Protein backbone atom coordinates (compact mmCIF):
# COMPACT_ATOMS: atom_id res chain seq x y z
CA UNK A 1 0.00 0.00 0.00
CA UNK A 2 1.45 3.33 -0.97
CA UNK A 3 -0.01 6.23 0.86
CA UNK A 4 0.40 9.47 -0.95
CA UNK A 5 2.08 11.02 2.04
CA UNK A 6 4.96 8.56 2.30
CA UNK A 7 5.37 8.31 -1.44
CA UNK A 8 5.73 12.08 -1.34
CA UNK A 9 8.37 11.89 1.31
CA UNK A 10 10.35 9.38 -0.78
CA UNK A 11 10.04 11.76 -3.73
CA UNK A 12 11.23 14.58 -1.50
CA UNK A 13 14.16 12.44 -0.44
CA UNK A 14 14.98 11.85 -4.11
CA UNK A 15 14.90 15.55 -4.82
CA UNK A 16 17.09 16.21 -1.82
CA UNK A 17 19.65 13.60 -2.92
CA UNK A 18 19.62 14.58 -6.54
CA UNK A 19 20.98 17.95 -5.61
CA UNK A 20 23.73 16.41 -3.60
CA UNK A 21 25.24 13.81 -5.86
CA UNK A 22 26.43 13.64 -9.43
CA UNK A 23 23.95 12.67 -12.11
CA UNK A 24 25.87 9.46 -12.85
CA UNK A 25 25.75 8.53 -9.22
CA UNK A 26 22.06 9.23 -9.11
CA UNK A 27 21.39 7.25 -12.26
CA UNK A 28 23.44 4.29 -11.16
CA UNK A 29 22.57 4.01 -7.53
CA UNK A 30 19.42 5.85 -6.66
CA UNK A 31 17.07 5.66 -9.64
CA UNK A 32 16.98 1.85 -9.72
CA UNK A 33 15.37 1.85 -6.26
CA UNK A 34 11.60 1.32 -6.30
CA UNK A 35 9.08 1.87 -3.55
CA UNK A 36 6.97 -1.25 -3.30
CA UNK A 37 5.22 -0.66 -0.03
CA UNK A 38 4.91 2.39 2.05
CA UNK A 39 3.02 2.96 5.26
CA UNK A 40 3.34 5.46 8.03
CA UNK A 41 5.67 3.18 9.95
CA UNK A 42 7.78 1.50 7.34
CA UNK A 43 9.00 1.65 3.81
CA UNK A 44 9.69 -1.38 1.63
CA UNK A 45 12.15 -0.72 -1.15
CA UNK A 46 13.06 -2.92 -4.04
CA UNK A 47 16.72 -2.76 -5.01
CA UNK A 48 18.36 -4.50 -7.96
CA UNK A 49 21.13 -5.95 -5.78
CA UNK A 50 22.69 -5.80 -2.35
CA UNK A 51 25.22 -3.18 -3.41
CA UNK A 52 22.56 -0.61 -4.11
CA UNK A 53 21.08 -1.26 -0.68
CA UNK A 54 24.48 -0.96 0.94
CA UNK A 55 25.20 2.19 -0.98
CA UNK A 56 22.00 3.85 0.09
CA UNK A 57 22.35 2.99 3.74
CA UNK A 58 26.08 3.66 3.98
CA UNK A 59 25.88 7.03 2.35
CA UNK A 60 22.50 8.43 3.18
CA UNK A 61 21.31 6.98 6.46
CA UNK A 62 21.46 10.36 8.17
CA UNK A 63 19.45 11.98 5.40
CA UNK A 64 16.98 9.14 5.10
CA UNK A 65 15.78 9.48 8.67
CA UNK A 66 14.62 13.00 7.92
CA UNK A 67 12.27 11.71 5.25
CA UNK A 68 11.21 8.17 5.96
CA UNK A 69 9.62 6.49 9.00
CA UNK A 70 12.09 5.55 11.74
CA UNK A 71 12.35 2.78 14.29
CA UNK A 72 12.51 3.54 18.00
CA UNK A 73 16.29 3.10 17.72
CA UNK A 74 16.37 6.03 15.32
CA UNK A 75 17.31 3.85 12.36
CA UNK A 76 15.33 4.32 9.14
CA UNK A 77 12.46 1.80 9.07
CA UNK A 78 13.23 0.40 5.66
CA UNK A 79 12.88 -3.16 4.49
CA UNK A 80 14.80 -4.10 1.39
CA UNK A 81 13.73 -6.60 -1.19
CA UNK A 82 16.20 -7.70 -3.83
CA UNK A 83 14.55 -7.68 -7.24
CA UNK A 84 14.19 -10.97 -9.07
CA UNK A 85 16.67 -10.90 -11.91
CA UNK A 86 15.03 -10.31 -15.27
CA UNK A 87 17.32 -12.05 -17.70
CA UNK A 88 18.23 -9.25 -20.08
CA UNK A 89 17.38 -6.22 -18.07
CA UNK A 90 19.30 -7.51 -15.14
CA UNK A 91 22.62 -7.30 -16.89
CA UNK A 92 22.05 -3.63 -17.38
CA UNK A 93 20.90 -2.85 -13.94
CA UNK A 94 23.68 -4.64 -12.23
CA UNK A 95 26.53 -3.84 -14.49
CA UNK A 96 27.12 -0.28 -13.43
CA UNK A 97 27.03 -0.56 -9.68
CA UNK A 98 29.00 -3.78 -9.62
CA UNK A 99 31.65 -2.40 -11.89
CA UNK A 100 32.01 0.46 -9.44
CA UNK A 101 32.61 -1.97 -6.64
CA UNK A 102 34.52 -4.64 -8.44
CA UNK A 103 37.93 -3.53 -9.50
CA UNK A 104 38.68 -2.88 -13.09
CA UNK A 105 42.36 -3.62 -13.01
CA UNK A 106 42.43 -6.89 -11.15
CA UNK A 107 42.10 -10.18 -12.98
CA UNK A 108 38.59 -11.49 -12.87
CA UNK A 109 39.15 -15.12 -12.08
CA UNK A 110 38.69 -15.88 -8.41
CA UNK A 111 41.38 -18.44 -8.46
CA UNK A 112 44.52 -18.53 -6.60
CA UNK A 113 47.13 -15.88 -6.66
CA UNK A 114 50.25 -17.28 -8.32
CA UNK A 115 53.04 -17.38 -5.83
CA UNK A 116 56.04 -15.40 -7.00
CA UNK A 117 58.84 -17.96 -7.41
CA UNK A 118 61.44 -15.45 -6.16
CA UNK A 119 59.61 -14.75 -2.93
CA UNK A 120 61.18 -17.54 -0.91
CA UNK A 121 62.70 -17.63 2.56
CA UNK A 122 66.13 -18.18 0.99
CA UNK A 123 65.79 -14.92 -0.89
CA UNK A 124 64.60 -13.00 2.12
CA UNK A 125 67.50 -11.18 3.74
CA UNK A 126 67.31 -11.05 7.47
CA UNK A 127 68.16 -8.10 9.69
CA UNK A 128 67.08 -6.64 13.02
CA UNK A 129 64.01 -5.06 11.40
CA UNK A 130 62.53 -8.32 10.19
CA UNK A 131 64.14 -11.12 12.21
CA UNK A 132 61.17 -11.60 14.50
CA UNK A 133 58.58 -11.66 11.75
CA UNK A 134 60.70 -13.94 9.61
CA UNK A 135 61.07 -16.48 12.39
CA UNK A 136 57.33 -16.32 13.08
CA UNK A 137 56.71 -16.93 9.37
CA UNK A 138 59.11 -19.87 9.40
CA UNK A 139 57.31 -21.26 12.43
CA UNK A 140 53.95 -21.06 10.71
CA UNK A 141 55.32 -22.60 7.55
CA UNK A 142 56.81 -25.51 9.49
CA UNK A 143 53.71 -26.26 11.57
CA UNK A 144 50.68 -24.75 9.90
CA UNK A 145 47.76 -24.29 12.27
CA UNK A 146 49.85 -25.30 15.24
CA UNK A 147 52.06 -22.34 16.05
CA UNK A 148 50.71 -18.82 15.68
CA UNK A 149 47.23 -18.51 14.33
CA UNK A 150 46.46 -16.19 12.72
CA UNK A 151 49.82 -14.68 11.94
CA UNK A 152 49.27 -11.01 11.22
CA UNK A 153 52.16 -9.24 9.44
CA UNK A 154 52.06 -5.47 9.16
CA UNK A 155 54.44 -2.82 7.91
CA UNK A 156 55.01 -0.08 5.34
CA UNK A 157 55.06 -0.33 1.59
CA UNK A 158 57.79 -2.36 -0.07
CA UNK A 159 59.16 -3.90 3.11
CA UNK A 160 58.60 -7.54 2.24
CA UNK A 161 55.12 -8.44 3.52
CA UNK A 162 54.00 -10.07 0.29
CA UNK A 163 57.41 -11.70 -0.02
CA UNK A 164 57.02 -13.41 3.37
CA UNK A 165 53.43 -14.40 2.69
CA UNK A 166 54.47 -16.15 -0.53
CA UNK A 167 57.47 -17.72 1.19
CA UNK A 168 55.10 -19.31 3.70
CA UNK A 169 52.99 -20.56 0.79
CA UNK A 170 55.96 -22.09 -1.04
CA UNK A 171 57.26 -23.86 2.04
CA UNK A 172 53.92 -25.34 3.03
CA UNK A 173 53.24 -26.47 -0.52
CA UNK A 174 56.61 -28.17 -0.64
CA UNK A 175 56.55 -29.83 2.76
CA UNK A 176 52.88 -30.52 3.27
CA UNK A 177 51.71 -31.65 -0.10
CA UNK A 178 48.32 -32.78 1.15
CA UNK A 179 47.31 -29.44 2.57
CA UNK A 180 45.06 -27.19 0.56
CA UNK A 181 46.79 -23.84 0.43
CA UNK A 182 45.12 -20.79 -1.04
CA UNK A 183 46.76 -17.39 -1.41
CA UNK A 184 44.65 -14.43 -2.34
CA UNK A 185 44.69 -10.66 -2.30
CA UNK A 186 41.89 -9.02 -0.41
CA UNK A 187 40.73 -7.36 -3.61
CA UNK A 188 40.49 -10.72 -5.32
CA UNK A 189 38.53 -12.10 -2.40
CA UNK A 190 36.06 -9.24 -2.74
CA UNK A 191 35.81 -9.74 -6.49
CA UNK A 192 35.20 -13.38 -5.92
CA UNK A 193 32.44 -12.56 -3.52
CA UNK A 194 30.87 -10.09 -5.95
CA UNK A 195 30.94 -12.67 -8.74
CA UNK A 196 29.49 -15.37 -6.58
CA UNK A 197 26.76 -13.13 -5.23
CA UNK A 198 25.87 -12.16 -8.75
CA UNK A 199 25.81 -15.75 -9.94
CA UNK A 200 24.02 -16.90 -6.81
CA UNK A 201 26.82 -19.36 -6.09
CA UNK A 202 27.73 -18.05 -2.69
CA UNK A 203 27.31 -21.45 -1.07
CA UNK A 204 29.84 -22.94 -3.42
CA UNK A 205 32.28 -20.22 -2.61
CA UNK A 206 31.75 -20.63 1.13
CA UNK A 207 32.33 -24.33 0.81
CA UNK A 208 35.51 -23.76 -1.10
CA UNK A 209 37.02 -21.29 1.37
CA UNK A 210 35.91 -23.26 4.37
CA UNK A 211 37.56 -26.43 3.12
CA UNK A 212 41.02 -24.90 2.98
CA UNK A 213 43.87 -25.84 5.29
CA UNK A 214 45.86 -22.66 4.81
CA UNK A 215 44.53 -19.28 3.76
CA UNK A 216 47.04 -16.54 2.93
CA UNK A 217 45.48 -13.12 2.58
CA UNK A 218 47.45 -10.16 1.27
CA UNK A 219 46.63 -6.50 2.05
CA UNK A 220 43.67 -6.83 4.38
CA UNK A 221 43.46 -3.02 4.59
CA UNK A 222 41.35 -3.16 1.44
CA UNK A 223 38.57 -4.71 3.45
CA UNK A 224 38.05 -1.36 5.16
CA UNK A 225 34.75 0.35 4.34
CA UNK A 226 33.37 -2.83 2.78
CA UNK A 227 30.96 -3.84 5.46
CA UNK A 228 29.17 -6.66 3.68
CA UNK A 229 32.37 -8.22 2.49
CA UNK A 230 33.90 -7.87 5.89
CA UNK A 231 31.19 -9.94 7.45
CA UNK A 232 31.62 -12.77 4.99
CA UNK A 233 35.37 -12.64 5.42
CA UNK A 234 34.99 -12.72 9.18
CA UNK A 235 32.74 -15.78 9.00
CA UNK A 236 35.20 -17.62 6.79
CA UNK A 237 37.98 -16.60 9.12
CA UNK A 238 36.22 -17.93 12.20
CA UNK A 239 35.28 -21.20 10.57
CA UNK A 240 38.87 -21.86 9.57
CA UNK A 241 40.46 -20.81 12.84
CA UNK A 242 37.99 -22.90 14.82
CA UNK A 243 39.20 -25.94 12.90
CA UNK A 244 42.85 -25.01 13.52
CA UNK A 245 43.38 -24.13 9.89
CA UNK A 246 46.20 -21.67 9.37
CA UNK A 247 45.53 -18.07 8.40
CA UNK A 248 48.19 -15.51 7.55
CA UNK A 249 47.24 -11.91 6.90
CA UNK A 250 49.28 -8.94 5.75
CA UNK A 251 48.34 -5.31 6.23
CA UNK A 252 49.85 -1.85 6.00
CA UNK A 253 48.67 -1.12 9.55
CA UNK A 254 48.35 -3.04 12.81
CA UNK A 255 44.87 -4.49 13.42
CA UNK A 256 43.85 -1.81 15.91
CA UNK A 257 44.40 0.94 13.36
CA UNK A 258 42.28 -0.64 10.66
CA UNK A 259 38.81 0.70 10.15
CA UNK A 260 37.15 -2.65 10.64
CA UNK A 261 34.59 -3.98 13.08
CA UNK A 262 35.70 -4.71 16.63
CA UNK A 263 34.90 -8.35 16.02
CA UNK A 264 37.21 -8.51 13.03
CA UNK A 265 40.01 -6.65 14.81
CA UNK A 266 39.73 -8.90 17.84
CA UNK A 267 39.95 -11.99 15.62
CA UNK A 268 43.07 -10.71 13.93
CA UNK A 269 44.69 -10.08 17.29
CA UNK A 270 43.98 -13.65 18.45
CA UNK A 271 47.29 -14.99 17.21
CA UNK A 272 50.57 -13.23 16.69
CA UNK A 273 50.84 -9.67 15.40
CA UNK A 274 54.29 -9.00 13.97
CA UNK A 275 55.71 -5.84 12.55
CA UNK A 276 58.12 -5.65 9.65
CA UNK A 277 60.25 -2.55 9.89
CA UNK A 278 62.52 -0.49 7.69
CA UNK A 279 65.83 -2.34 7.28
CA UNK A 280 68.95 -0.74 8.73
CA UNK A 281 71.94 0.24 6.60
CA UNK A 282 73.75 -3.10 6.83
CA UNK A 283 70.63 -5.04 5.91
CA UNK A 284 69.98 -2.72 2.99
CA UNK A 285 73.50 -3.34 1.77
CA UNK A 286 73.01 -7.09 2.10
CA UNK A 287 69.73 -6.86 0.18
CA UNK A 288 71.39 -4.85 -2.58
CA UNK A 289 74.22 -7.36 -2.85
CA UNK A 290 71.77 -10.23 -2.96
CA UNK A 291 69.59 -8.62 -5.62
CA UNK A 292 72.66 -7.75 -7.71
CA UNK A 293 73.98 -11.27 -7.42
CA UNK A 294 70.68 -12.71 -8.59
CA UNK A 295 71.00 -10.64 -11.73
CA UNK A 296 74.58 -11.79 -12.20
CA UNK A 297 75.68 -8.24 -11.57
CA UNK A 298 78.54 -7.38 -9.23
CA UNK A 299 78.70 -4.24 -7.18
CA UNK A 300 81.60 -3.24 -4.96
CA UNK A 301 80.81 -2.95 -1.27
CA UNK A 302 81.46 0.77 -1.31
CA UNK A 303 78.93 1.27 -4.06
CA UNK A 304 76.32 -0.77 -2.23
CA UNK A 305 76.77 1.45 0.82
CA UNK A 306 76.48 4.53 -1.32
CA UNK A 307 73.12 3.41 -2.73
CA UNK A 308 71.85 2.14 0.62
CA UNK A 309 72.62 5.48 2.23
CA UNK A 310 70.43 7.23 -0.29
CA UNK A 311 67.52 4.86 -0.49
CA UNK A 312 66.37 3.96 2.94
CA UNK A 313 62.73 3.31 3.45
CA UNK A 314 61.62 0.93 0.79
CA UNK A 315 63.22 -2.31 -0.37
CA UNK A 316 61.39 -2.18 -3.67
CA UNK A 317 63.21 1.05 -4.47
CA UNK A 318 66.53 -0.59 -3.67
CA UNK A 319 65.69 -3.21 -6.26
CA UNK A 320 64.78 -0.47 -8.70
CA UNK A 321 68.18 1.14 -8.16
CA UNK A 322 69.96 -2.13 -8.90
CA UNK A 323 67.93 -2.67 -12.03
CA UNK A 324 68.63 0.81 -13.27
CA UNK A 325 72.30 0.61 -12.46
CA UNK A 326 72.76 -2.73 -14.14
CA UNK A 327 70.88 -1.60 -17.24
CA UNK A 328 72.91 1.58 -17.36
CA UNK A 329 76.23 -0.23 -17.07
CA UNK A 330 75.24 -2.82 -19.63
CA UNK A 331 74.03 -0.27 -22.13
CA UNK A 332 77.05 1.97 -21.79
CA UNK A 333 79.47 -0.93 -21.45
CA UNK A 334 80.78 0.46 -18.18
CA UNK A 335 82.14 -1.04 -14.97
CA UNK A 336 80.48 -0.09 -11.72
CA UNK A 337 82.73 2.67 -10.53
CA UNK A 338 81.66 5.32 -8.09
CA UNK A 339 81.57 7.85 -10.86
CA UNK A 340 79.21 5.74 -12.92
CA UNK A 341 77.02 5.11 -9.92
CA UNK A 342 76.73 8.78 -9.21
CA UNK A 343 75.62 9.38 -12.76
CA UNK A 344 73.10 6.59 -12.75
CA UNK A 345 71.86 7.58 -9.34
CA UNK A 346 71.53 11.22 -10.17
CA UNK A 347 69.37 10.12 -13.06
CA UNK A 348 67.36 8.03 -10.65
CA UNK A 349 66.91 10.97 -8.35
CA UNK A 350 65.93 13.20 -11.22
CA UNK A 351 63.29 10.75 -12.16
CA UNK A 352 62.07 10.70 -8.64
CA UNK A 353 60.36 14.10 -8.29
CA UNK A 354 57.05 12.58 -9.13
CA UNK A 355 57.64 10.31 -6.18
CA UNK A 356 58.41 13.23 -3.90
CA UNK A 357 54.96 14.60 -4.56
CA UNK A 358 52.88 12.87 -1.95
CA UNK A 359 49.16 12.62 -1.47
CA UNK A 360 49.66 14.74 1.65
CA UNK A 361 51.21 17.55 -0.43
CA UNK A 362 48.39 17.34 -2.90
CA UNK A 363 45.78 17.50 -0.16
CA UNK A 364 47.49 20.52 1.34
CA UNK A 365 47.62 22.34 -1.96
CA UNK A 366 44.04 21.51 -2.92
CA UNK A 367 42.79 22.43 0.56
CA UNK A 368 44.39 25.87 0.22
CA UNK A 369 43.01 26.52 -3.24
CA UNK A 370 39.46 25.50 -2.38
CA UNK A 371 39.58 26.71 1.21
CA UNK A 372 38.58 23.43 2.77
CA UNK A 373 40.16 21.35 5.50
CA UNK A 374 42.47 18.43 4.74
CA UNK A 375 40.46 16.30 7.16
CA UNK A 376 37.34 17.02 5.10
CA UNK A 377 39.10 15.92 1.93
CA UNK A 378 39.97 12.65 3.61
CA UNK A 379 36.51 12.36 5.14
CA UNK A 380 33.25 11.14 3.71
CA UNK A 381 31.21 14.29 3.34
CA UNK A 382 29.34 14.28 0.05
CA UNK A 383 28.55 17.96 0.09
CA UNK A 384 29.64 19.42 -3.24
CA UNK A 385 31.93 22.02 -1.62
CA UNK A 386 34.03 19.17 -0.30
CA UNK A 387 33.38 16.30 -2.68
CA UNK A 388 34.51 18.32 -5.69
CA UNK A 389 37.90 19.43 -4.28
CA UNK A 390 38.34 15.85 -3.10
CA UNK A 391 37.87 14.64 -6.66
CA UNK A 392 40.35 17.23 -7.89
CA UNK A 393 42.88 15.96 -5.34
CA UNK A 394 42.27 12.39 -6.49
CA UNK A 395 42.73 13.43 -10.09
CA UNK A 396 46.04 15.11 -9.24
CA UNK A 397 47.21 12.10 -7.26
CA UNK A 398 46.64 9.80 -10.21
CA UNK A 399 48.25 12.26 -12.61
CA UNK A 400 51.31 13.10 -10.55
CA UNK A 401 52.15 10.09 -8.43
CA UNK A 402 53.36 6.95 -10.02
CA UNK A 403 51.77 4.51 -7.63
CA UNK A 404 48.96 1.98 -7.82
CA UNK A 405 45.38 3.22 -7.62
CA UNK A 406 44.91 1.03 -4.62
CA UNK A 407 47.71 2.70 -2.69
CA UNK A 408 46.72 6.18 -3.76
CA UNK A 409 43.09 5.74 -2.84
CA UNK A 410 43.89 4.36 0.58
CA UNK A 411 45.70 7.63 1.37
CA UNK A 412 42.39 9.41 0.99
CA UNK A 413 41.11 8.10 4.29
CA UNK A 414 40.68 4.58 2.97
CA UNK A 415 38.62 5.21 -0.17
CA UNK A 416 38.34 2.46 -2.74
CA UNK A 417 40.33 2.61 -5.93
CA UNK A 418 37.16 2.68 -8.01
CA UNK A 419 36.20 5.91 -6.22
CA UNK A 420 39.54 7.35 -7.22
CA UNK A 421 39.23 6.14 -10.77
CA UNK A 422 35.74 7.59 -10.99
CA UNK A 423 37.01 10.96 -9.71
CA UNK A 424 39.89 10.94 -12.16
CA UNK A 425 37.60 10.20 -15.11
CA UNK A 426 35.15 12.86 -14.08
CA UNK A 427 37.74 15.60 -13.60
CA UNK A 428 39.67 14.57 -16.75
CA UNK A 429 36.48 15.10 -18.71
CA UNK A 430 35.53 18.33 -17.03
CA UNK A 431 38.95 19.91 -17.34
CA UNK A 432 38.56 19.79 -21.13
CA UNK A 433 35.75 22.31 -21.08
CA UNK A 434 35.94 24.08 -17.75
CA UNK A 435 38.36 26.99 -17.89
CA UNK A 436 38.16 27.79 -14.18
CA UNK A 437 38.88 24.21 -13.22
CA UNK A 438 41.81 24.10 -15.63
CA UNK A 439 43.30 27.20 -13.96
CA UNK A 440 42.82 25.72 -10.50
CA UNK A 441 44.53 22.52 -11.50
CA UNK A 442 47.37 24.41 -13.12
CA UNK A 443 47.80 26.37 -9.93
CA UNK A 444 47.90 23.23 -7.81
CA UNK A 445 50.43 21.62 -10.15
CA UNK A 446 52.66 24.66 -10.08
CA UNK A 447 52.56 24.67 -6.30
CA UNK A 448 53.45 21.04 -6.14
CA UNK A 449 56.13 20.92 -8.74
CA UNK A 450 57.91 24.06 -7.53
P1 LIG B 1 55.19 -5.23 0.58
O1 LIG B 1 54.26 -6.36 0.29
O2 LIG B 1 55.53 -5.09 2.02
O3 LIG B 1 54.77 -3.93 -0.02
P2 LIG B 1 56.98 -6.79 -1.04
O4 LIG B 1 56.91 -8.07 -0.31
O5 LIG B 1 56.24 -6.69 -2.32
O6 LIG B 1 56.57 -5.56 -0.10
O7 LIG B 1 58.50 -6.43 -1.27
C1 LIG B 1 58.95 -5.51 -2.22
C2 LIG B 1 60.19 -6.03 -2.90
O8 LIG B 1 61.26 -5.99 -1.99
C3 LIG B 1 60.03 -7.46 -3.35
O9 LIG B 1 60.65 -7.62 -4.59
C4 LIG B 1 60.76 -8.25 -2.28
O10 LIG B 1 61.36 -9.40 -2.83
C5 LIG B 1 61.81 -7.27 -1.83
N1 LIG B 1 62.17 -7.43 -0.41
C6 LIG B 1 61.57 -6.88 0.65
N2 LIG B 1 62.16 -7.22 1.80
C7 LIG B 1 63.18 -8.03 1.45
C8 LIG B 1 64.20 -8.71 2.19
N3 LIG B 1 64.28 -8.62 3.53
N4 LIG B 1 65.08 -9.43 1.50
C9 LIG B 1 65.03 -9.52 0.17
N5 LIG B 1 64.11 -8.89 -0.60
C10 LIG B 1 63.19 -8.16 0.03
MG1 LIG C 1 52.46 -6.36 -0.79
Amino acid sequence: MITSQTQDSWDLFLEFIEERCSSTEFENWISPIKVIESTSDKLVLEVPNIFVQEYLVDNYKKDLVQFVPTLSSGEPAIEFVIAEPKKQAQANQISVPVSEIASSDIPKEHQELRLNPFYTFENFIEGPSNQFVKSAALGVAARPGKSYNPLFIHGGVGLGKTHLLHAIGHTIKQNHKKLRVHAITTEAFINDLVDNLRNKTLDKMKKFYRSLDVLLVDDIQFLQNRQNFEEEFCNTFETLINQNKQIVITSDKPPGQLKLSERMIARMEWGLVANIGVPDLETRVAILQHKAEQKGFKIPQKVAFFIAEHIFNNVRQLEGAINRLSAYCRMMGLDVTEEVVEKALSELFQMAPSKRISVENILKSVATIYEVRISDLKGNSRSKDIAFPRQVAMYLAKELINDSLIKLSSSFGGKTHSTLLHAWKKISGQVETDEVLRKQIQMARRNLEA
Side-chain angles (χ1 to χ4, degrees):
M1 180 188 61
I2 298 180
T3 63
S4 61
Q5 193 198 345
T6 38
Q7 174 67 54
D8 280 355
S9 56
W10 178 252
D11 289 342
L12 284 176
F13 171 72
L14 292 184
E15 268 174 36
F16 174 85
I17 292 305
E18 200 166 8
E19 281 174 12
R20 281 164 180 77
C21 68
S22 72
S23 56
T24 330
E25 215 174 316
F26 191 83
E27 279 308 305
N28 290 341
W29 296 96
I30 307 290
S31 337
I33 303 174
K34 281 196 207 126
V35 178
I36 56 172
E37 194 191 321
S38 180
T39 63
S40 54
D41 49 27
K42 81 168 179 194
L43 187 63
V44 182
L45 297 177
E46 186 188 83
V47 288
N49 54 60
I50 184 84
F51 308 115
V52 170
Q53 168 183 340
E54 200 180 61
Y55 176 86
L56 181 73
V57 176
D58 284 355
N59 294 292
Y60 295 114
K61 188 151 83 184
K62 267 203 229 118
D63 305 314
L64 275 168
V65 295
Q66 297 175 32
F67 294 90
V68 308
T70 49
L71 300 169
S72 54
S73 61
E75 298 279 301
I78 302 181
E79 253 172 45
F80 288 94
V81 176
I82 311 268
E84 282 297 315
K86 293 178 215 114
K87 291 277 181 285
Q88 280 303 314
Q90 185 212 8
N92 253 341
Q93 278 180 340
I94 286 187
S95 68
V96 180
V98 169
S99 68
E100 283 246 317
I101 285 170
S103 63
S104 45
D105 49 3
I106 282 168
K108 245 329 186 202
E109 69 271 24
H110 88 132
Q111 294 45 307
E112 151 129 74
L113 180 77
R114 284 237 318 273
L115 296 179
N116 184 321
F118 292 103
Y119 290 0
T120 59
F121 282 119
E122 294 75 50
N123 285 336
F124 190 84
I125 305 299
E126 206 176 303
S129 62
N130 60 34
Q131 229 152 24
F132 176 68
V133 62
K134 184 182 176 185
S135 72
L138 280 166
V140 161
R143 305 175 65 234
K146 298 198 180 82
S147 47
Y148 316 105
N149 203 9
L151 172 62
F152 187 98
I153 300 173
H154 70 95
V157 175
L159 296 183
K161 301 183 294 294
T162 300
H163 188 134
L164 277 181
L165 190 79
H166 288 205
I168 294 173
H170 285 305
T171 308
I172 299 182
K173 283 187 163 187
Q174 250 164 36
N175 300 342
H176 306 264
K177 294 214 161 58
K178 290 214 178 99
L179 295 186
R180 296 183 53 162
V181 182
H182 191 69
I184 196 158
T185 64
T186 302
E187 284 288 346
F189 178 83
I190 289 173
N191 281 347
D192 207 3
L193 204 49
V194 170
D195 283 349
N196 283 285
L197 279 167
R198 183 162 45 191
N199 299 332
K200 302 209 180 324
T201 46
L202 194 58
D203 283 347
K204 217 169 101 199
M205 176 178 170
K206 283 185 183 172
K207 228 185 206 162
F208 169 76
Y209 278 95
R210 290 168 196 191
S211 69
L212 295 171
D213 297 299
V214 180
L215 178 61
L216 309 172
V217 185
D218 208 2
D219 289 326
I220 198 74
Q221 68 271 17
F222 297 117
L223 202 61
Q224 294 176 112
N225 305 320
R226 305 280 183 88
Q227 227 171 343
N228 267 339
F229 305 118
E230 184 186 331
E231 196 177 326
E232 181 50 37
F233 181 81
C234 201
N235 293 338
T236 305
F237 182 103
E238 285 176 356
T239 313
L240 290 176
I241 292 269
N242 288 338
Q243 300 169 36
N244 289 329
K245 305 301 172 114
Q246 180 70 49
I247 296 183
V248 184
I249 294 177
T250 73
S251 165
D252 68 350
K253 297 181 201 68
Q257 284 176 27
L258 289 168
K259 279 192 228 128
L260 293 171
S261 67
E262 276 177 29
R263 171 178 164 215
M264 189 66 222
I265 291 172
R267 301 294 174 267
M268 291 188 301
E269 287 173 338
W270 261 346
L272 181 72
V273 175
N275 175 246
I276 188 164
V278 174
D280 63 5
L281 183 65
E282 278 70 27
T283 314
R284 297 201 298 279
V285 169
I287 293 172
L288 280 168
Q289 297 283 23
H290 179 78
K291 300 281 174 191
E293 225 167 81
Q294 277 187 323
K295 293 177 74 74
F297 178 62
K298 281 208 171 66
I299 46 170
Q301 189 78 346
K302 223 173 154 184
V303 168
F305 268 95
F306 182 68
I307 302 171
E309 272 160 7
H310 286 85
I311 300 176
F312 35 81
N313 55 10
N314 183 325
V315 179
R316 194 173 289 129
Q317 283 171 5
L318 285 176
E319 266 183 327
I322 286 291
N323 290 341
R324 201 177 290 267
L325 191 61
S326 92
Y328 186 85
C329 292
R330 219 177 327 112
M331 250 166 12
M332 313 292 259
L334 297 169
D335 285 337
V336 197
T337 64
E338 262 180 83
E339 206 190 340
V340 166
V341 167
E342 247 175 273
K343 259 200 178 133
L345 275 182
S346 77
E347 236 172 65
L348 176 85
F349 292 138
Q350 265 162 20
M351 293 188 68
S354 65
K355 282 208 186 100
R356 271 188 262 135
I357 296 180
S358 63
V359 172
E360 284 307 319
N361 294 340
I362 291 178
L363 289 169
K364 221 186 268 172
S365 167
V366 170
T368 313
I369 291 173
Y370 289 93
E371 299 183 328
V372 293
R373 286 185 310 214
I374 293 178
S375 57
D376 284 336
L377 293 176
K378 286 185 169 180
N380 292 319
S381 163
R382 312 188 74 85
S383 119
K384 275 200 176 136
D385 300 349
I386 291 166
F388 186 74
R390 183 187 300 129
Q391 289 179 324
V392 171
M394 288 179 165
Y395 165 86
L396 284 166
K398 175 155 161 40
E399 287 287 307
L400 301 178
I401 304 178
N402 187 18
D403 219 335
S404 75
L405 284 182
I406 291 179
K407 275 192 205 115
L408 291 177
S409 55
S410 70
S411 311
F412 282 84
K415 304 282 186 303
T416 66
H417 67 291
S418 53
T419 306
L420 191 134
L421 194 61
H422 171 76
W424 177 78
K425 278 191 194 143
K426 183 182 157 202
I427 301 296
S428 308
Q430 200 167 328
V431 79
E432 301 280 338
T433 53
D434 184 339
E435 191 56 39
V436 176
L437 176 61
R438 190 156 48 223
K439 289 238 168 73
Q440 288 166 335
I441 286 179
Q442 256 172 15
M443 202 184 338
R445 284 184 93 125
R446 241 180 282 127
N447 266 344
L448 288 160
E449 280 164 353

